[in-house]
Amino acid sequence: AEKPLEFASEADAVIIGSGMKTREIARDTALLSRIQLDPVRQMIGAQCSGTLLLSKLGHLGDSPACTDLTTKPWVVEPGVKVLDQPFSANGNIATAGGCLSSQYLAAWVIARGATHKDAEAAIHYVAPVGQKDEYVERAMASVRAYLPEEAATTAA
């Protein structure tokens, strides 16, 4: 709410969240035309129904994606293959399915924009007390396969 939608084109990373009005927004071509993203330069993520918007913006191509179970039929409708998993990424585009999968998007962005250890530290910081190690391991296990080699090798 602090910046207009057009600012998204300037950001290093853009995460499209989920919401109750996503289907309405997905039909609003004037609104969608204000969102200009560059997957060559930007890390772009979508969580739950945000995946529908990413599809409408033309950034999924033939890559499989993740979304929530409610949104799945609308994402599948134009031909996107929806995976039965919480996180997937292809290059600079990542999708996550389920509200709690947002931590996987965060870990992916941090690991790619900084280091693997920085992502672990961020997840550790926000994880529930008494479950920090298991949250870090689950998050990193979900994104590890989608990290560039140089980011993954810094974890040692």
Side-chain angles (χ1 to χ4, degrees), residues 70-92:
T70 302
T71 308
K72 181 179 177 178
W74 303 303
V75 174
V76 169
E77 190 175 281
V80 176
K81 178 183 180 190
V82 172
L83 302 170
D84 186 23
Q85 62 191 53
F87 181 84
S88 180
N90 183 12
N92 283 344

Side-chain angles (χ1 to χ4, degrees), residues 106-122 140 147 150-155:
W108 177 79
V109 168
I110 296 167
R112 295 196 64 215
T115 70
H116 192 97
K117 287 207 178 289
D118 291 327
E120 290 176 356
M140 298 314 293
L147 296 175
E150 60 273 12
T153 57
T154 62

Side-chain angles (χ1 to χ4, degrees), residues 1-93:
E2 295 176 11
K3 302 268 187 186
L5 287 175
E6 290 79 7
F7 175 76
S9 66
E10 300 174 35
D12 294 327
V14 176
I15 296 178
I16 301 170
S18 187
M20 294 177 12
K21 296 193 177 249
T22 307
R23 288 184 66 209
E24 185 179 318
I25 293 167
R27 291 187 292 267
D28 188 338
T29 56
L31 181 73
L32 290 177
S33 71
R34 296 175 54 201
I35 305 170
Q36 300 297 313
L37 304 176
D38 180 4
V40 172
R41 184 184 62 75
Q42 298 174 296
M43 288 181 281
I44 302 168
Q47 179 251 337
C48 290
S49 63
T51 301
L52 175 61
L53 298 181
L54 200 55
S55 174
K56 290 289 187 176
L57 290 169
H59 292 295
L60 291 181
D62 59 358
S63 294
C66 300
T67 190
D68 62 284
L69 298 177
T70 302
T71 308
K72 181 179 177 178
W74 303 303
V75 174
V76 169
E77 190 175 281
V80 176
K81 178 183 180 190
V82 172
L83 302 170
D84 186 23
Q85 62 191 53
F87 181 84
S88 180
N90 183 12
N92 283 344
I93 305 282

